[in-house]
Amino acid sequence: APERPPAPPAGPSRGCRAAGGRMTDTRRRVKVYTLNEDRQWDDRGTGHVSSCYVERLKGMSLLVRAESDGSLLLESKINPNTAYQKQQDTLIVWSEAENYDLALSFQEKAGCDEIWEKICQVQGKDPSVDITQDLVDESEEERFDDMSSPGLELPSCELSRLEEIAELVASSLPSPLRREKLALALENEGYIKKLLEIFHVCEDLENIEGLHHLYEIIKGIFLLNRTALFEVMFSEECIMDVIGCLEYDPSLSQSRKHREFLTKTAKFKEVIPISDPELKQKIHQTYRVQYIQDMVLPTPSVFEENMLSTLHSFIFFNKVEIVGMLQEDEKFLTDLFAQLTDEATDEEKRQELVNFLKEFCAFSQTLQPQNRDAFFKTLSNMGILPALEVILGMDDAQVRSAATDIFSYLVEYNPSMVREFVMQEAQQNDDDILLINLIIEHMICDTDPELGGAVLLMGLLRTLVDPENMLATANKTEKTEFLGFFYKHCMHVLTAPLLANTTEDKPSKDDFQTAQLLALILELLTFCVEHHTYHIKNYIINKDILRRVLVLMASKHAFLALCALRFKRKIIGLKDEFYNRYIMKSFLFEPVVKAFLNNGSRYNLMNSAIIEMFEFIRVEDIKSLTAHVIENYWKALEDVDYVQTFKGLKLRFEQQRERQDNPKLDSMRSILRNHRYRRDARTLEDEEEMWFNTDEDDMEDGEAVVPPSDKPKNDEDIMDPISKFMERKKLKESEEKEVLLKTNLSGRQSPSFKLSFSSGTKSNLTSQSSASNLPGSPGSPGSPGSPGSPGSVSKSTSQMAAITTK
């Protein structure tokens, strides 16, 4: 069925005048829709609806005038026999002609109810109904006739009376009671078989007019929506003749060749001989009925869609029966899997077997959940996963592709079943032939330039390693077991292309397909960083993965460089000191700073993403990284003045240094806050890292860590400067805000304003010399190459010399 048209957006009414002179409010505001040939709703405009008597149409009508210019969008007489349907409280739908469907979508439910009452009033219906032509539609006269005559009398089935029969069928369709009587008459008199005999006569005589009438009759019988009639029409002896009748559509200049296609082009293949004749007949019937629904019958209108519900059900239950009968045939499934895995099976036969199994799994998607459970359990018991493992190891690309589709059905249905299988097989097989590793290898070796298959396989791997769908029981945790298995046996296969391509300072292969593959791998690794905590942390640090990933920042493909940056940004976002120490120890900001400087004056996504990373470090006050960046890369970044990020980082750094140089205040600060934070238990490696551990997150056993140079002090000595410390802290915060505020407002610091730090600080932030280098619009990146843009960084700064690595 076509989608329901959207409701018109809320908005003020323009006061279009309705019948009776009353100003229309938003209750009557509607959108008018018509249904196009593609079964999509076309918006014809927004206006206000009213109902009034139109002399020209001789009856009560619906009028919609455009709210923009008052022009007439719709003028439709409310016909007593037209079926109007109310849907979802704000929608009224009806058919004006055979292929012309209309809809009014109301802004408010109250307006829809008012117009619905008018329609029901004209048709003499109760407004509580949702469709005006239902069992209550029969007039009193018809009801009297129906009670007096128990059945409908059909004309004798003769060639000369086909037109009369077609008219009778067409006139019965709008009335549910007459439809019921017509269906009973057709069943009782064996009328359909008589009609099909006349069809043969008409074809022999080339009686086109008679064939056109038969088309209308058979189409009408479909719309009666009766299972008993479908069973006659879809029987082996009748179905091809029914399809033949539907070839002669009066609206087409030439008849279609559906029977020719079904008998000559479409071929039925038995990959495994089916011994049950009933099953075989059911498969043929289902294919043909599906063909009638999809290809032969014309596109139903919005009301005919409901009339074909029994046809949908007929196909659905046939598929359920086919799957059930195949499941119960153990010999059939045993032969299927035996031939699939037999090395002696020739390639063409194996391809047919895999395609059959793929279609079999596709059929299962129509099953109810409990039936689908039984279906996949049967396949699992028959050994579908070991069979797929064998098939995926074969050379035939088409067979492997079909096997991948089957594997996707299994993963989507029950990822835990797949995980359990691969963990069991790992105890017996080498890593190279494990099912998951075969999937990873197919992803890596995908020959499609767009990597369509690799994208699908990456999605399946993501489902398998997603902790959200892993089970936890009293005895074991699937997450712990499977992730331990995955990182031991599979992760090295996944990262192999990344490691092979990043042995030097730039990617050894940088073609588009390789870049796409590496981007997919990075996407999965980024997902792992977010969801796998210590497993991925140990892997990244032990294998030095981040350093290898950042080599890709030098790629000529911007999307790959951004993937590498996103991977690092995800790690930094965790604010994990293990990661931070690894980054600092290996100087892993260097590739990022190089990429930032090489990007030059371009104001693009790379520029913004790198700045955002440093801004995150500043805003979240990640002290260890702030110090590392300023101490090693400040000279490269100090001239970037179109954003305040780097100067803000420097300010943070200076404040940290001041606290470091005053251990009494720093120790006291730790005491003040030790009850609010926990620290990671780890030993101190050297004096340089000592001050990291005085931070809020790094306190051990509730005690402040005091640098070795200071002797422990008694409580009075420590608590004495509390008030001074608090005043000092407030002063520093206000100073920082004032500096940034003045810089943002004027693009330069006030010449009279100066911040100086303790003698232990390496550099002072002054305004006399640097303020003159801050042109451009305040706070905006500017356009490339203009003042205040990335292009205004001093050209005299040597990019490479500015990066200190040790």
Side-chain angles (χ1 to χ4, degrees):
E3 292 181 4
R4 172 180 180 263
S13 167
R14 295 180 61 91
C16 174
R17 188 167 297 275
R22 183 170 62 84
M23 296 298 289
T24 305
D25 58 16
T26 55
R27 289 182 305 166
R28 295 288 186 91
R29 190 165 185 260
V30 297
K31 273 189 179 291
V32 180
Y33 291 92
T34 58
L35 199 65
N36 63 28
E37 293 178 356
D38 298 325
R39 311 298 297 155
Q40 300 296 318
W41 290 102
D42 292 332
D43 184 353
R44 296 300 183 187
T46 303
H48 296 272
V49 63
S50 61
S51 60
C52 59
Y53 185 85
V54 177
E55 184 66 34
R56 183 173 60 81
L57 299 177
K58 304 293 184 190
M60 289 294 291
S61 303
L62 297 176
L63 304 178
V64 179
R65 293 196 175 275
E67 67 176 3
S68 56
D69 57 9
S71 60
L72 199 62
L73 293 177
L74 176 70
E75 185 179 58
S76 172
K77 181 182 176 182
I78 303 174
N79 289 310
N81 297 323
T82 297
Y84 291 84
Q85 193 171 10
K86 185 167 77 163
Q87 299 175 5
Q88 302 181 20
D89 293 335
T90 57
L91 190 68
I92 296 176
V93 185
W94 72 99
S95 284
E96 291 268 297
E98 185 173 348
N99 289 314
Y100 187 63
D101 296 327
L102 286 159
L104 293 180
S105 183
F106 288 76
Q107 182 171 319
E108 296 183 14
K109 178 181 182 296
C112 183
D113 291 342
E114 286 177 12
I115 295 300
W116 185 249
E117 285 178 16
K118 291 285 186 184
I119 293 169
C120 291
Q121 185 181 340
V122 172
Q123 295 199 343
K125 302 293 182 274
D126 183 346
S128 64
V129 301
D130 287 334
I131 183 167
T132 60
Q133 301 296 324
D134 210 323
L135 287 174
V136 296
D137 291 0
E138 305 300 324
S139 68
E140 292 299 322
E141 185 180 349
E142 281 181 317
R143 292 187 187 192
F144 178 77
D145 291 342
D146 290 333
M147 286 186 289
S148 60
S149 57
L152 189 73
E153 189 173 340
L154 292 169
S156 58
C157 195
E158 299 172 6
L159 180 58
S160 59
R161 304 191 71 176
L162 283 178
E163 185 175 1
E164 185 182 345
I165 298 168
E167 288 175 359
L168 175 65
V169 171
S171 65
S172 299
L173 291 175
S175 163
L177 205 52
R178 288 177 66 81
R179 282 206 307 269
E180 186 77 15
K181 293 195 170 195
L182 176 59
L184 287 171
L186 290 169
E187 288 174 42
N188 295 337
E189 298 181 24
Y191 210 78
I192 291 175
K193 291 185 178 179
K194 295 176 185 176
L195 287 171
L196 296 178
E197 288 173 8
I198 295 179
F199 167 70
H200 286 291
V201 174
C202 287
E203 272 209 316
D204 293 341
L205 298 174
E206 296 185 359
N207 183 340
I208 300 301
E209 185 182 355
L211 291 169
H212 285 169
H213 288 316
L214 281 165
Y215 171 89
E216 297 292 350
I217 293 167
I218 295 296
K219 178 190 167 189
I221 293 174
F222 269 95
L223 296 177
L224 292 176
N225 215 20
R226 294 279 293 204
T227 305
L229 295 178
F230 287 157
E231 286 175 354
V232 176
M233 295 165 73
F234 300 151
S235 64
E236 188 73 24
E237 58 180 315
C238 295
I239 190 166
M240 295 306 286
D241 290 338
V242 169
I243 292 170
C245 290
L246 293 172
E247 290 180 353
Y248 294 93
D249 186 344
S251 63
L252 301 175
S253 57
Q254 205 168 1
S255 64
R256 298 292 178 87
K257 305 292 183 185
H258 296 302
R259 286 171 295 173
E260 185 178 322
F261 171 82
L262 288 171
T263 53
K264 296 181 180 177
T265 308
K267 298 293 182 186
F268 176 68
K269 290 184 179 179
E270 286 185 75
V271 290
I272 302 286
I274 297 174
S275 54
D276 186 347
E278 184 186 350
L279 173 59
K280 194 182 294 189
Q281 188 274 329
K282 189 72 72 177
I283 292 171
H284 284 296
Q285 183 189 58
T286 304
Y287 176 78
R288 291 166 180 167
V289 176
Q290 186 87 57
Y291 183 83
I292 290 173
Q293 183 191 41
D294 296 341
M295 304 300 297
V296 180
L297 285 176
T299 305
S301 73
V302 71
F303 296 109
E304 291 174 342
E305 187 76 28
N306 297 329
M307 293 178 176
L308 291 173
S309 59
T310 305
L311 180 62
H312 301 320
S313 300
F314 187 93
I315 295 169
F316 171 82
F317 287 115
N318 261 20
K319 288 183 177 180
V320 171
E321 275 190 70
I322 290 169
V323 172
M325 292 165 82
L326 286 173
Q327 266 181 261
E328 292 166 9
D329 190 342
E330 288 190 13
K331 183 179 184 305
F332 179 87
L333 290 178
T334 305
D335 290 350
L336 172 67
F337 285 107
Q339 291 190 36
L340 264 177
T341 54
D342 187 353
E343 292 183 5
T345 305
D346 65 75
E347 292 302 316
E348 186 178 350
K349 177 72 171 178
R350 181 173 283 110
Q351 188 173 334
E352 290 174 355
L353 290 165
V354 175
N355 286 334
F356 168 80
L357 188 55
K358 175 184 169 182
E359 194 169 349
F360 193 30
C361 290
F363 262 42
S364 73
Q365 301 306 296
T366 64
L367 299 177
Q368 295 297 320
Q370 63 271 23
N371 294 334
R372 196 156 61 243
D373 285 348
F375 171 79
F376 280 111
K377 280 177 184 171
T378 301
L379 290 188
S380 178
N381 294 336
M382 297 301 299
I384 188 168
L385 285 167
L388 284 179
E389 196 169 41
V390 172
I391 299 165
L392 286 168
M394 295 176 177
D395 297 330
D396 191 315
Q398 287 184 309
V399 168
R400 290 203 311 265
S401 174
T404 301
D405 290 336
I406 296 166
F407 183 69
S408 71
Y409 284 122
L410 296 170
V411 171
E412 287 167 16
Y413 161 69
N414 191 346
S416 291
M417 178 180 77
V418 178
R419 292 189 200 105
E420 186 177 359
F421 169 76
V422 295
M423 284 191 289
Q424 287 175 354
E425 68 164 352
Q427 299 169 5
Q428 304 158 1
N429 299 333
D430 296 335
D431 287 358
D432 294 344
I433 59 172
L434 294 181
L435 180 58
I436 289 191
N437 287 346
L438 287 172
I439 294 293
I440 294 172
E441 285 170 17
H442 288 319
M443 182 194 81
I444 292 170
C445 301
D446 188 4
T447 55
D448 178 8
E450 298 297 325
L451 295 186
V455 171
L456 170 66
L457 294 171
M458 183 60 73
L460 298 178
L461 284 173
R462 183 169 174 153
T463 302
L464 288 173
V465 301
D466 186 355
E468 294 296 320
N469 60 43
M470 294 185 184
L471 306 173
T473 62
N475 300 327
K476 63 173 185 176
T477 303
E478 186 181 22
K479 177 181 176 181
T480 304
E481 289 192 0
F482 181 75
L483 292 183
F485 156 81
F486 183 79
Y487 280 87
K488 181 179 180 182
H489 297 281
C490 308
M491 186 57 101
H492 66 279
V493 182
L494 179 67
T495 55
L498 170 68
L499 297 176
N501 211 37
T502 53
T503 52
E504 300 173 6
D505 291 339
K506 61 180 182 178
S508 52
K509 282 182 69 179
D510 205 18
D511 58 281
F512 178 70
Q513 193 164 353
T514 302
Q516 273 197 308
L517 175 63
L518 293 177
L520 278 177
I521 293 171
L522 281 179
E523 187 180 332
L524 187 60
L525 290 176
T526 305
F527 177 83
C528 293
V529 167
E530 186 175 2
H531 292 90
H532 290 176
T533 58
Y534 66 89
H535 287 95
I536 187 71
K537 186 194 303 181
N538 291 339
Y539 190 81
I540 288 173
I541 293 173
N542 291 336
K543 301 291 185 182
D544 200 12
I545 294 294
L546 180 56
R547 184 177 66 81
R548 305 295 284 270
V549 166
L550 291 175
V551 170
L552 302 177
M553 293 283 292
S555 170
K556 67 182 180 184
H557 300 285
F559 70 87
L560 181 57
L562 287 165
C563 279
L565 184 63
R566 187 160 58 245
F567 179 72
K568 179 169 182 175
R569 173 65 178 81
K570 185 66 74 175
I571 289 175
I572 290 175
L574 296 175
K575 297 191 284 187
D576 185 313
E577 276 301 312
F578 277 111
Y579 277 131
N580 293 347
R581 291 170 192 275
Y582 162 60
I583 289 170
M584 293 183 296
K585 184 178 179 181
S586 301
F587 293 91
L588 295 180
F589 275 101
E590 183 173 332
V592 177
V593 175
K594 277 184 181 179
F596 182 68
L597 296 175
N598 290 336
N599 193 57
S601 63
R602 283 169 292 185
Y603 177 34
N604 53 18
L605 189 56
M606 178 65 73
N607 175 272
S608 298
I610 293 175
I611 290 173
E612 189 277 334
M613 177 188 290
F614 287 111
E615 181 69 11
F616 177 82
I617 294 170
R618 186 190 72 80
V619 171
E620 295 295 323
D621 196 15
I622 305 176
K623 295 177 174 53
S624 53
L625 296 184
T626 299
H628 177 75
V629 169
I630 296 302
E631 288 175 351
N632 292 283
Y633 309 108
W634 171 243
K635 287 185 179 180
L637 302 170
E638 64 179 335
D639 291 327
V640 179
D641 52 20
Y642 53 89
V643 288
Q644 297 304 310
T645 296
F646 301 108
K647 287 185 168 45
L649 268 178
K650 181 69 183 288
L651 194 59
R652 290 270 194 205
F653 173 70
E654 300 291 2
Q655 290 172 340
Q656 291 171 27
R657 291 297 294 269
E658 180 171 348
R659 287 195 291 270
Q660 180 189 2
D661 291 340
N662 195 335
K664 182 184 293 186
L665 293 181
D666 205 29
S667 300
M668 183 228 32
R669 176 174 174 271
S670 299
I671 288 177
L672 287 175
R673 300 198 179 188
N674 81 61
H675 66 286
R676 291 168 51 202
Y677 297 93
R678 60 177 175 78
R679 68 158 281 156
D680 295 328
R682 47 178 167 265
T683 57
L684 306 179
E685 292 181 0
D686 52 55
E687 189 171 343
E688 182 186 347
E689 292 184 338
M690 176 68 72
W691 65 278
F692 293 157
N693 296 313
T694 66
D695 190 20
E696 301 148 354
D697 294 323
D698 290 329
M699 299 192 181
E700 188 168 9
D701 301 326
E703 295 180 1
V705 179
V706 183
S709 59
D710 287 345
K711 294 179 182 179
K713 302 173 179 59
N714 60 41
D715 289 350
E716 288 181 2
D717 291 338
I718 293 174
M719 296 304 291
D720 181 55
I722 286 179
S723 58
K724 292 181 182 179
F725 168 76
M726 296 305 292
E727 290 174 5
R728 182 95 173 222
K729 183 172 181 292
K730 290 178 182 175
L731 177 62
K732 290 302 174 191
E733 288 176 351
S734 65
E735 285 173 349
E736 179 182 352
K737 288 178 183 175
E738 188 171 349
V739 172
L740 292 177
L741 178 63
K742 290 188 177 183
T743 306
N744 285 335
L745 290 175
S746 63
R748 60 184 72 239
Q749 297 173 9
S750 169
S752 62
F753 191 89
K754 181 175 179 179
L755 282 176
S756 61
F757 294 84
S758 62
S759 58
T761 304
K762 288 186 179 178
S763 61
N764 296 330
L765 179 62
T766 61
S767 59
Q768 284 86 348
S769 61
S770 62
S772 59
N773 294 324
L774 296 171
S777 57
S780 68
S783 58
S786 67
S789 77
S792 62
V793 176
S794 171
K795 297 290 187 293
S796 63
T797 304
S798 172
Q799 293 179 352
M800 300 313 295
I803 300 173
T804 308
T805 58
K806 297 219 183 216

